[in-house]
Amino acid sequence: MLKKYKSEKGITLIALVITIIVLLILAGVAIASLTGDNGIITKAQEAKKKTEEAKKEEEKQLQNMLDKITSEVPSEEGYNNNKNVNNPKTTKGMILIKWNGTDWVVCSKDDTEWYSYDSTKKWANIMLSDGKYKEGKVREGQIIKENELGSMYVWIPRYAYKIAGEKNIEVTFLKGNTNIDKEGIEYTTSEDVDTKTTKIVHPAFNLGGVELSGIWVAKFETSGTNKDGKAVGNASSTSSAEQYKPDETTIAKSLPNKISWRHITVGESQRRSMDIATTAKEKYGLDYTNSHLMKNDEWGAVAYLCYSQYGNVPKINSVGNYNSYWYDLYTGQGPKTATDEGWYNRTDNSHDYNTENGILASTTGNITGIYDMSGGSWERVAGYLDNGNSNLNNYGKSADGSIKYFENGKLNPNYEKLWNKYEVSEEERTNKISMGDGTTLTQNELWDWNKREEKHQKARLRITEEIYNNMKKHKGIGVNEVGTTFSFYAPYGDGKNGQPWGWFRTVAQAVVGKEEYGRAWNNDLVLIGHIVCPFVLRGSYCNNGTDAGVLCSNITSGLSYDRYGFRSVLVI
């Protein structure tokens, strides 16, 4: 019995040792499988994270879908019955701000002082998260100093309008993305009406077939800096060439008291504007948003609101330092004085946007409006003449050529909603312009500076008038509805003293070289005709004095130039 007992006891100890060893091995394997880069716990954590991310992405996509449905289906959602206007539509990255008299202050959607589109003319302002503060991480009541601001935008609510008289546009705000006002009256979207008698929904509130409750417009002309903090797209005091070029750190900003970004083609202006909500959206904190170069009809929407009971016709931003070359065009500046709109050099901050002089250049007459729409730099807008000219291809693309908005003289269908198209005559479109004597010239041949005969001037006037008349089909852009004359561009004289060119309203003026400008309300320039310049400009330039204004229109080839800037629009 004893021997047997000892034998059983020995076997049990060996088995126990073996069991322990096996357990340790298994534990080691288990621990190894649970931990480490490929461990079960790590994988479980990653799976949980991916599940949460997928859930957020799903929720985001669902919200995007709901937003899209809301935009495409008529809805009064978002209309404020107390303020009789649509609440500003916001998204991630946007920080609501109001002016307290000395500073910008973070506020909430429920703050009754944020905006009021009535006789107080207090338009809603936001800043993006590209400044010191980030949306969601800033407290209500936080004071925002000027050097802390993110890019600023102003809300333009959906409205219908009628040309009520000289310098008088009657505006009615609409509910949500519908065509109905607070009284239940429904307005037409057809542009085949006389807007002097019939009120219509402004066409800027339709983006590619989607009806909008409003748009966010950049408060200032675009500015930008390179990695060294130098203002890009500016000329210098000694050369009209670009002084500092943008680099990989440069993004489009909308800030006060900055040097405006010129020396940029129209195609690159569009690309930089689109980047705000695409490739560079993380820098702005944005999520579901469309951004683009301001369209011509969107410019018109702001201009018309200026001439309504809810806005103010701005005076000129006339700051443009001059020393043989124009340079240092600062954003958000006011006129020289309330009665003098002549240009001047900026030597201090006495005309900044928040000063007594500065607010004269605002679309509200106070600090809540949009600036630089009269003077500053001529501004590129996304509008073009559909004449097939080669400059559509040459300059209607990004700087690196990776994005081509125009190919073979036609707009790429993928970008149709981002550009306003204006029709031209059949002879201009087919590039066979009649001289009236049985001969024809191409577009480039007609605008050869050697072509100075009366027949050439007649042809230039005729094709320009065709463009002007075609523009009547497009309401809300601030050309035909608010003016009755236009001018075309032509060479004149004998050509012996250089290459003189000028703007003329009649053939007789062009033959003798007597310039006369086309005009809209407030003496604003209407300059249309130059066949190799298919892109539209607005607002005029800092040294144009009383000729500048929100209704000014002009044309350009689209090339980079030291007097042409741009601004962006955001749509949610």
Side-chain angles (χ1 to χ4, degrees), residues 67-75 158 177-179 189 191 201-213 290 292 295 297-298 413-420 571-572:
D67 288 342
K68 184 174 178 60
I69 291 172
T70 301
S71 297
E72 293 182 346
V73 177
S75 169
R158 184 182 183 88
N177 68 345
T178 73
N179 304 329
T189 57
E191 297 183 58
V201 180
H202 198 287
F205 300 107
N206 181 299
L207 184 66
V210 176
E211 299 296 340
L212 307 173
S213 61
N290 171 284
H292 54 268
K295 297 168 64 179
D297 59 5
E298 291 169 341
N414 294 327
Y415 303 107
E416 282 183 354
K417 69 179 182 180
L418 303 183
W419 294 81
N420 294 133
V571 173
I572 304 171

Side-chain angles (χ1 to χ4, degrees), residues 370-382:
I370 298 172
Y371 287 76
D372 307 322
M373 292 193 72
S374 174
S377 66
W378 277 103
E379 288 194 39
R380 303 183 184 284
V381 291

Side-chain angles (χ1 to χ4, degrees), residues 278-482:
T278 54
T279 59
K281 65 180 182 180
E282 292 184 0
K283 295 182 179 180
Y284 300 93
L286 289 172
D287 192 358
Y288 179 59
T289 311
N290 171 284
S291 64
H292 54 268
L293 175 64
M294 190 177 198
K295 297 168 64 179
N296 195 37
D297 59 5
E298 291 169 341
W299 180 282
V302 179
Y304 280 23
L305 201 54
C306 293
Y307 276 94
S308 78
Q309 64 272 42
Y310 306 115
N312 180 75
V313 180
K315 291 187 177 296
I316 189 174
N317 170 350
S318 49
V319 173
N321 291 358
Y322 184 75
N323 182 8
S324 299
Y325 301 96
W326 290 101
Y327 64 103
D328 290 357
L329 308 187
Y330 286 90
T331 61
Q333 303 297 297
K336 196 171 185 179
T337 69
T339 56
D340 186 351
E341 297 190 76
W343 74 270
Y344 60 95
N345 288 330
R346 182 180 188 269
T347 57
D348 54 36
N349 61 358
S350 60
H351 293 75
D352 288 358
Y353 80 111
N354 55 355
T355 65
E356 184 177 351
N357 267 82
I359 61 174
L360 296 174
S362 163
T363 57
T364 54
N366 60 56
I367 201 169
T368 70
I370 298 172
Y371 287 76
D372 307 322
M373 292 193 72
S374 174
S377 66
W378 277 103
E379 288 194 39
R380 303 183 184 284
V381 291
Y384 72 100
L385 306 179
D386 188 29
N387 63 7
N389 188 268
S390 60
N391 283 332
L392 291 168
N393 301 335
N394 294 339
Y395 303 113
K397 60 184 178 181
S398 60
D400 62 5
S402 61
I403 303 176
K404 297 180 180 179
Y405 301 104
F406 294 85
E407 295 183 83
N408 300 318
K410 289 294 180 181
L411 178 64
N412 185 322
N414 294 327
Y415 303 107
E416 282 183 354
K417 69 179 182 180
L418 303 183
W419 294 81
N420 294 133
K421 179 176 74 174
Y422 301 107
E423 301 82 2
V424 299
S425 64
E426 179 70 12
E427 58 181 330
E428 182 178 350
R429 187 179 60 79
T430 58
N431 207 19
K432 295 179 180 179
I433 301 167
S434 172
M435 293 297 103
D437 58 3
T439 63
T440 61
L441 293 178
T442 66
Q443 295 176 358
N444 290 338
E445 288 172 340
L446 178 60
W447 254 265
D448 182 335
W449 74 280
N450 289 301
K451 303 291 191 300
R452 302 163 184 267
E453 297 176 32
E454 183 176 355
K455 65 179 181 180
H456 301 130
Q457 307 295 24
K458 285 182 177 180
R460 293 180 181 116
L461 174 58
R462 185 178 68 254
I463 61 175
T464 303
E465 187 171 17
E466 186 84 14
I467 295 169
Y468 183 76
N469 289 335
N470 279 330
M471 282 186 169
K472 291 180 181 178
K473 304 173 186 176
H474 304 274
K475 301 300 192 292
I477 61 176
V479 181
N480 307 73
E481 291 174 302
V482 296

Side-chain angles (χ1 to χ4, degrees), residues 17-303:
V17 170
I18 293 172
T19 300
I20 293 171
I21 292 171
V22 170
L23 289 174
L24 289 172
I25 292 171
L26 291 174
V29 171
I31 291 170
S33 64
L34 288 172
T35 60
D37 293 340
N38 296 311
I40 294 174
I41 294 175
T42 302
K43 291 297 183 183
Q45 290 174 336
E46 290 179 355
K48 180 183 178 182
K49 182 179 179 181
K50 288 181 179 179
T51 300
E52 291 174 348
E53 290 176 350
K55 182 180 178 181
K56 289 181 180 179
E57 181 64 23
E58 184 178 345
E59 291 173 349
K60 172 185 167 183
Q61 293 299 328
L62 178 60
Q63 186 60 52
N64 291 351
M65 187 183 299
L66 291 173
D67 288 342
K68 184 174 178 60
I69 291 172
T70 301
S71 297
E72 293 182 346
V73 177
S75 169
E76 296 182 7
E77 183 180 354
Y79 185 74
N80 190 316
N81 288 298
N82 295 322
K83 295 190 174 185
N84 298 319
V85 70
N86 284 334
N87 288 319
K89 193 173 183 179
T90 59
T91 188
K92 179 183 176 182
M94 292 182 171
I95 302 172
L96 285 56
I97 53 176
K98 67 178 184 179
W99 182 252
N100 69 359
T102 55
D103 294 291
W104 292 100
V105 183
V106 175
C107 63
S108 71
K109 289 184 177 181
D110 299 324
D111 192 323
T112 58
E113 296 181 352
W114 181 27
Y115 70 90
S116 52
Y117 289 79
D118 53 23
S119 59
T120 62
K121 304 176 182 180
K122 187 186 293 184
W123 297 4
N125 284 247
I126 56 98
M127 67 177 185
L128 302 184
S129 299
D130 56 330
K132 178 178 179 179
Y133 300 99
K134 308 303 177 187
E135 182 266 333
K137 296 183 179 180
V138 62
R139 62 179 175 79
E140 187 177 342
Q142 173 69 54
I143 300 294
I144 310 295
K145 298 299 183 182
E146 185 175 307
N147 63 352
E148 300 172 336
L149 286 167
S151 291
M152 304 180 73
Y153 287 79
V154 179
W155 177 249
I156 305 298
R158 184 182 183 88
Y159 69 79
Y161 77 92
K162 182 176 75 172
I163 308 298
E166 177 76 12
K167 302 179 186 179
N168 181 14
I169 296 179
E170 184 179 308
V171 161
T172 299
F173 293 119
L174 304 176
K175 290 188 171 184
N177 68 345
T178 73
N179 304 329
I180 301 171
D181 69 8
K182 65 177 182 178
E183 306 297 337
I185 300 173
E186 185 170 4
Y187 301 94
T188 181
T189 57
S190 172
E191 297 183 58
D192 297 327
V193 298
D194 182 357
T195 51
K196 290 182 173 63
T197 59
T198 304
K199 186 172 289 187
I200 72 168
V201 180
H202 198 287
F205 300 107
N206 181 299
L207 184 66
V210 176
E211 299 296 340
L212 307 173
S213 61
I215 58 176
W216 287 103
V217 175
K219 191 175 181 71
F220 305 98
E221 286 178 352
T222 302
S223 59
T225 57
N226 62 17
K227 59 186 177 183
D228 297 320
K230 302 292 186 181
V232 302
N234 188 27
S236 71
S237 60
T238 58
S239 170
S240 61
E242 185 177 26
Q243 188 172 22
Y244 301 109
K245 295 183 180 297
D247 55 32
E248 69 280 0
T249 67
T250 305
I251 58 174
K253 296 272 194 173
S254 171
L255 294 171
N257 308 322
K258 302 296 182 182
I259 296 173
S260 66
W261 185 348
R262 288 104 58 213
H263 283 284
I264 183 171
T265 65
V266 64
E268 183 66 1
S269 298
Q270 178 70 273
R271 201 271 288 185
R272 291 286 181 170
S273 298
M274 292 177 66
D275 281 353
I276 294 171
T278 54
T279 59
K281 65 180 182 180
E282 292 184 0
K283 295 182 179 180
Y284 300 93
L286 289 172
D287 192 358
Y288 179 59
T289 311
N290 171 284
S291 64
H292 54 268
L293 175 64
M294 190 177 198
K295 297 168 64 179
N296 195 37
D297 59 5
E298 291 169 341
W299 180 282
V302 179

Side-chain angles (χ1 to χ4, degrees), residues 492-509:
Y492 64 92
D494 57 14
K496 293 180 179 179
N497 298 314
Q499 301 178 7
W501 290 77
W503 291 99
F504 310 101
R505 285 173 53 182
T506 68
V507 170
Q509 291 170 347

